[in-house]
Every structure is written in C-alpha cells, then in structure tokens.
Amino acid sequence: MKTINPFEFSDTNKRYYTYDYYLKRRFGGKCFKVPLDGGFTCPNRDGSKGTGGCTYCSERGSGDFTCTPDMSITKQFEICRNGLLKKWPSEKYIAYFQAFTGTYAPTERLRELFEEALSQKGVVGLSVATRGDCVTPETAKYLKELSKRTFLTVELGLQSVHDETAKRINRCHTYADFLTGYNMLDGVNRCIHIINGLPGENREMMMQTAKEVAKLHPEFLKIHLLHVLRGTALAKQYENGEFDVMAREEYTNLVCDQLEIMPPDTVIGRITGDGAKDALIAPLWSLKKFVVMNEIDKELVRRGTYQGIYYDK
Ligand code: SF4
C-alpha cells in the first residue's frame, strides 16, 4: 500500500494523517477515548453570554455518549471502560472531558476533576473539549503545567471563522475571542474543531475557515459535518426551510479541498460527524460514516492528491 500512497504520514491507504496512525507511533497502538462529564455548562447556556446554547447542540452538550455528572469521575470511567472492554480489549485510555465546556469552572475544580481522571488505571492522557473564550490565564497556566506531565490535548471549538455565522448559530463568541484562548495555550497540544455546512455558509466561506486553520498550524484538527438533531433550535430552522444540509458529494469534495491545504503534519482526528444516531434528522446519508470516509479516500486517489499538497507555508 505504502508504495502507491505518496502521503508521508500513513502506513495504509489513507492520504491524510489519521489519529490512529499518530497513536500507534506515540503509544504503540490504539488508545480508547473514555468520554466523561465533569458537570460543566457553557457561557451561552447559563446566561453569562447567552442562553439556549449553540443552535445545533444537543441537550447533553455533545456529551451524548457520557454517563451523567451525578456520578464521580471514577465511576463514570469504570462504566465506560467496561463497556469498551467488551468490544475492544485495550489497556490504554485517554480520559475525555467531552460534555459542555470542559474548562468552564474555577481552576481548583478543574484540577480535582482532571487529576481524578488521570489517576485511573490505564489512563495515558487527557483530552478536554472547550471554547477559546473559556480559557483564562490561570487555567492556561495549569494546563501548560499538566501537559508537561501527561499527553494533554485541549479541543477548541471554532466551527467557523465568520462572526456572522457565529451569531447565527448563537455561539456567543467571535473569531478574535477564539484566537485569544488559542494563543494562551501555546505549547499545549491544541485540536481545532470546525463544522462544514453551517447555515448561511457557502463553499468559499468554509474554505476560508480551513485556510485560517492552516495558518494556525494546529497539532490536531477535527472536521465535522453539521448534523441536524431532534430537539435543537437548528431542527426548527431546518423544518422551517431556513437552510439546507450538504449533499454527500459536495461534502466529500469540500473535505478533500480542505485536506489538501492543511499542513501535512496536522493530525486529523475526524473527517465527518458522529452524532447520536437516534436523534439525527439530516443529513441521513451521514449515518453511513464508512461510506463517507471511503468516498474521501477515493476522491483523493482520483485527484492524485493528499493532505498538505497545496499547503502554503
Ligand atoms: S459551547 Fe459546545 S457544549 Fe456549549 S452549547 Fe455550544 S456546542 Fe454545546
């Protein structure tokens, strides 16, 4: 395979730098992410910046696969790891504070939660999902210290660099706010999340977001497809015909275009969405995740391109 795949950071047919490839090199094999809920909320839910949350966000704040926060971190970890063990025997785990905004609490509380997670058997690292406007200098200092002791990744939702889109989806922060938090975490592994298909965005706007991300040269990137989930504000807008979702071919072509301009050494943690299946209203083609991933692989082969081929340093 390697002989016909020109992409440097791959030992399969993948023409982009997969998270699996990264983990294999860093930890000698797969590590499973154990989703946890630290009992956080978000500034655009609790009224400090807004209410209602991002229009696309589910009731559990992207924590649809976690246990509930009334359980201790140790208990949540145990339940989730036992579930994972039935399917995939593994000895290495990354504790993932996935639900809501994982740094939206005083640093002392973060310390308690993160240290408890790190003390679990088999945990080799920590991932924390948050927003750029919820990183304070004090939090950043603690996270920098933590990243010297463990494999830490801070996942920062950007979604789009366009402030008019951020307003439309009730994100309650600007691109400049994102950058302030992002820059404070210099020296820590940062994973930027972007979403393709947001209401009001065309291909140029989504490419603009990708170009800005490429300039930032993050260690990790997750590319999501907008999912319309039952019970969200976005679902109402969709049902009212206020916007349409992307077609599969349009999405796969766009992702290939975005991969081509990314730095080749940015690890791609995700190239499509992975929401709660029962709650998905549209686009239903995204339920066949492996088909989407295969289409992206095939398109890159058809073009004869790969991640970073057009990266402009
Ligand atoms: S910041 Fe994240 S968890 Fe909070 S409402 Fe927005 S998407 Fe949901």
Side-chain angles (χ1 to χ4, degrees):
M1 279 296 196
K2 183 63 192 164
T3 51
I4 55 161
N5 182 357
F7 183 60
E8 191 186 346
F9 303 112
S10 174
D11 54 7
T12 62
N13 64 338
K14 296 288 177 196
R15 289 175 174 233
Y16 56 94
Y17 196 156
T18 66
Y19 193 51
D20 276 354
Y21 181 83
Y22 174 85
L23 290 177
K24 228 195 273 177
R25 261 137 203 88
R26 174 137 191 169
F27 295 108
K30 230 173 159 44
C31 305
F32 288 94
K33 270 184 153 175
V34 176
L36 300 168
D37 189 332
F40 306 104
T41 179
C42 303
N44 57 350
R45 282 178 180 261
D46 70 2
S48 69
K49 282 197 165 176
T51 53
C54 305
T55 55
Y56 52 83
C57 187
S58 66
E59 210 183 314
R60 294 288 313 279
S62 308
D64 301 286
F65 304 110
T66 62
C67 294
T68 50
D70 49 357
M71 288 178 205
S72 70
I73 293 301
T74 302
K75 189 73 196 159
Q76 289 186 43
F77 184 84
E78 190 187 311
I79 292 174
C80 200
R81 189 197 47 197
N82 291 347
L84 282 170
L85 272 175
K86 280 185 207 147
K87 280 191 185 170
W88 301 284
S90 172
E91 287 172 351
K92 289 178 186 155
Y93 302 96
I94 293 170
Y96 183 22
F97 284 85
Q98 183 181 24
F100 300 100
T101 297
T103 59
Y104 194 43
T107 308
E108 262 327 294
R109 178 66 186 141
L110 299 181
R111 198 185 292 275
E112 283 166 17
L113 292 165
F114 297 170
E115 300 297 337
E116 184 176 347
L118 282 172
S119 70
Q120 304 303 313
K121 190 166 173 258
V123 169
V124 293
L126 190 70
S127 268
V128 179
T130 188
R131 305 160 42 107
D133 62 340
C134 291
V135 179
T136 64
E138 199 191 345
T139 315
K141 191 172 164 220
Y142 167 58
L143 294 173
K144 282 182 181 180
E145 180 254 308
L146 195 58
S147 81
K148 290 193 184 119
R149 286 192 274 132
T150 190
F151 170 59
L152 171 70
T153 309
V154 180
E155 308 207 8
L156 291 153
L158 166 61
Q159 326 312 10
S160 166
V161 294
H162 303 284
D163 288 346
E164 68 263 36
T165 305
K167 223 179 211 166
R168 188 161 170 179
I169 60 174
N170 196 39
R171 187 81 195 154
C172 296
H173 74 51
T174 62
Y175 182 39
D177 295 332
F178 167 87
L179 285 176
T180 304
Y182 182 86
N183 290 330
M184 258 195 257
L185 292 169
D186 191 27
V188 177
N189 286 324
R190 290 162 294 185
C191 177
I192 298 181
H193 288 229
I194 61 172
I195 302 180
N196 288 324
L198 289 168
E201 293 220 337
N202 56 27
R203 185 190 167 281
E204 280 61 44
M205 292 171 83
M206 295 182 247
M207 282 307 291
Q208 192 58 43
T209 293
K211 281 178 192 160
E212 292 297 320
V213 169
K215 274 193 225 161
L216 293 173
H217 200 153
E219 293 77 18
F220 299 87
L221 167 67
K222 285 186 178 174
I223 303 176
H224 299 265
L225 163 70
L226 181 72
H227 279 168
V228 182
L229 300 178
R230 233 175 286 287
T232 60
L234 192 76
K236 278 198 196 111
Q237 293 168 5
Y238 179 69
E239 279 152 11
N240 290 340
E242 290 174 35
F243 74 100
D244 209 354
V245 291
M246 293 182 88
R248 191 177 78 191
E249 204 186 341
E250 187 189 5
Y251 182 75
T252 52
N253 270 310
L254 173 71
V255 171
C256 292
D257 294 343
Q258 291 174 325
L259 290 173
E260 286 169 357
I261 61 161
M262 281 302 144
D265 57 350
T266 289
V267 179
I268 309 296
R270 184 175 287 286
I271 51 168
T272 184
D274 200 9
K277 293 181 175 55
D278 303 345
L280 184 71
I281 295 177
L284 291 174
W285 55 261
S286 69
L287 287 172
K288 292 186 178 162
K289 191 175 144 193
F290 287 100
V291 173
V292 180
M293 291 168 75
N294 282 339
E295 288 301 313
I296 291 167
D297 292 341
K298 278 197 286 187
E299 178 59 15
L300 289 171
V301 171
R302 193 194 66 73
R303 296 180 185 192
T305 62
Y306 45 85
Q307 180 183 339
I309 190 171
Y310 305 129
Y311 171 53
D312 180 359
K313 278 184 194 157

